[in-house]
Amino acid sequence: MGKVAVGAAVICAATVCAAAALVVRHRVRTSAKWARAMAIIKDFEERCGTPIGKLKQVADAMTVEMHAGLASEGGSKLKMLISYVDNLPTGNEKGLFYALDLGGTNFRVLRVQLGGKDGGIVSQEFAEVSIPQDLMVGTSDELFDYIAAELSKFVAQEGPEFQLPPGRQRELGFTFSFPVMQSSIDSGTLIKWTKGFAIDDAVGQDVVAELTRALERQGLDMRVSALVNDTVGTLAGGRYSNKDVVAAVILGTGTNAAYVECAHAIPKWHGLLPKSGEMVINMEWGNFRSSHLTLTEYDYSLDAESLNPGEQVFEKIISGMYLGEIVRRVLCRIAEEVSLFGDTVPPKLKVPFVLRTPHMSAMHHDTSSDLKVVGDKLRDILEIPNSSLKERKLVVQLCDIVAARGARLAAAGILGILKKLGRETFKDGQNHRTVIALDGGLYEHYTEYSKCLESTIAELLGEKVSESIVIEHSNDGSGIGAALLAASHSQYLGVDEP
């Protein structure tokens, strides 16, 4: 029995040793896996780095490109488009006006009753409509017929608080937030699509004429009196409520900026100088590109696989359509190289754009001790059922890197505009406030992004100058702004009220 007991003890000991060895090997493998995962994150973080010196180089490059774009057509990656808006709202606008705001995957229809001097906005209503994905890559008629039909439904719901004088035609401001070459305040040719749209037969067409024909097909008697970019609309809406607004930036699905330029500082303008001496410039800054931008292999692959490779590079690293996708690409790389979420890569993690920026924002803002929101998003969107706390923390870290880079580069772009306007330094004897109107879902809803943007602007400008620079959220500025510009360009201006 003694020998049997000894043998059993030996076998037992050997089993324990083997098991221990397996545990050790597993721990070693796990440790090595995590070391490799963190190395990928660290490398990505370094390549996304935006120290102040780098951001100032980006701002200087933005200013240089602004000058080049104003000098001649095609002189810069920045289009610096003349908007034909040379008089921003004064506050005296009066009457019923509509706006259509086509800015991305949704569009809004809006009506406002303006009370004239000191009356402000008396009443307003809006409706938001999603655009079916197939219409984003269909034909021009299909898209504009869908929009006109929804607008017609909205007009049919007009209540008694909205008063159109008898015998007058309804007037509409059309916010169209894609690159357009305008030839007047109410006409413009589509240069190219962005933000996932690819409707070939609309390129080169006058978008006001396309919409007008669709309205006629609906039997809707409405005149498009102003065509504006969403950022120009935001600038107009901002100026209506604050006379210190000099520029507007949209940070949403896509991104853009517009600002008020001195007319004599636009060499490519060959018409008569406007009486106001000013002209609103639509920068189309999403297409900005510079060697100083911090681009990574994930950005290059995203760009190469996009609908518009080589275009809208700035937009692809700072705007809402792309931030979640960058996070997904890095996670997919880690999953492939180190089996982060199991032996096989979760199939959903391989699907482009499955992880949207609102999902990313929700994970980034998760303050629970177990990061429950992160776990829920990984399970519900990427079908990763049992993520560990360690994995969830890695995801949050990744969201932080991508959001911070985007926000800080956006801040550098704003500094570039301030430099062009000569508002980036403190001048003795001058005590002017400079207000930048911001709008867009990314800025409004992604708090970590907007906080980082604002703190970076203050960091770039320094304490003294930043006290006079104000970032102001212009909620629905693009829609209201389009209605205001429709009012200031009404065919009935100067006609007495009946």
Side-chain angles (χ1 to χ4, degrees), residues 222-257:
M222 184 176 274
R223 173 179 176 262
V224 182
S225 57
L227 172 67
V228 296
N229 179 271
D230 59 346
T231 326
V232 175
T234 297
L235 180 54
R239 177 64 74 89
Y240 184 73
S241 56
N242 189 330
K243 302 307 177 198
D244 294 325
V245 170
V246 298
V249 175
I250 297 284
L251 288 163
T253 305
T255 184
N256 194 12

Side-chain angles (χ1 to χ4, degrees), residues 55-193:
L55 294 178
K56 287 184 175 178
Q57 289 176 317
V58 171
D60 288 342
M62 180 70 79
T63 307
V64 167
E65 291 299 316
M66 289 172 74
H67 279 285
L70 290 173
S72 63
E73 296 299 346
S76 165
K77 275 282 188 183
L78 295 179
K79 298 285 185 190
M80 302 299 286
L81 302 173
I82 293 166
S83 70
Y84 291 88
V85 172
D86 56 3
N87 279 304
L88 286 163
T90 61
N92 297 329
E93 294 76 17
K94 188 174 182 181
L96 169 62
F97 298 93
Y98 276 79
L100 164 63
D101 183 1
L102 177 58
T105 48
N106 298 329
F107 70 88
R108 285 173 299 170
V109 286
L110 181 130
R111 58 178 150 251
V112 295
Q113 188 78 36
L114 302 174
K117 189 173 184 180
D118 301 323
I121 297 169
V122 179
S123 302
Q124 62 175 298
E125 289 179 339
F126 76 94
E128 188 158 343
V129 184
S130 291
I131 299 174
Q133 200 129 25
D134 59 313
L135 293 186
M136 294 170 67
V137 292
T139 68
S140 182
D141 280 356
E142 287 168 348
L143 176 66
F144 283 105
D145 281 345
Y146 179 75
I147 290 169
E150 292 296 327
L151 182 55
S152 183
K153 287 181 202 170
F154 184 67
V155 170
Q157 296 161 1
E158 198 176 274
E161 68 273 31
F162 295 95
Q163 296 294 322
L164 184 74
R168 289 200 176 180
Q169 190 179 25
R170 287 178 180 83
E171 294 183 285
L172 173 100
F174 182 16
T175 299
F176 187 74
S177 52
F178 301 90
V180 166
M181 181 60 72
Q182 284 198 237
S183 46
S184 69
I185 189 64
D186 60 359
S187 63
T189 302
L190 176 63
I191 297 168
K192 65 177 180 181
W193 290 104

Side-chain angles (χ1 to χ4, degrees), residues 32-66:
K33 178 176 82 171
W34 270 105
R36 178 65 189 132
M38 294 315 295
I40 293 172
I41 292 283
K42 188 170 186 298
D43 177 67
F44 179 64
E45 185 172 27
E46 287 173 357
R47 291 175 187 275
C48 286
T50 49
I52 286 298
K54 171 71 73 176
L55 294 178
K56 287 184 175 178
Q57 289 176 317
V58 171
D60 288 342
M62 180 70 79
T63 307
V64 167
E65 291 299 316
M66 289 172 74

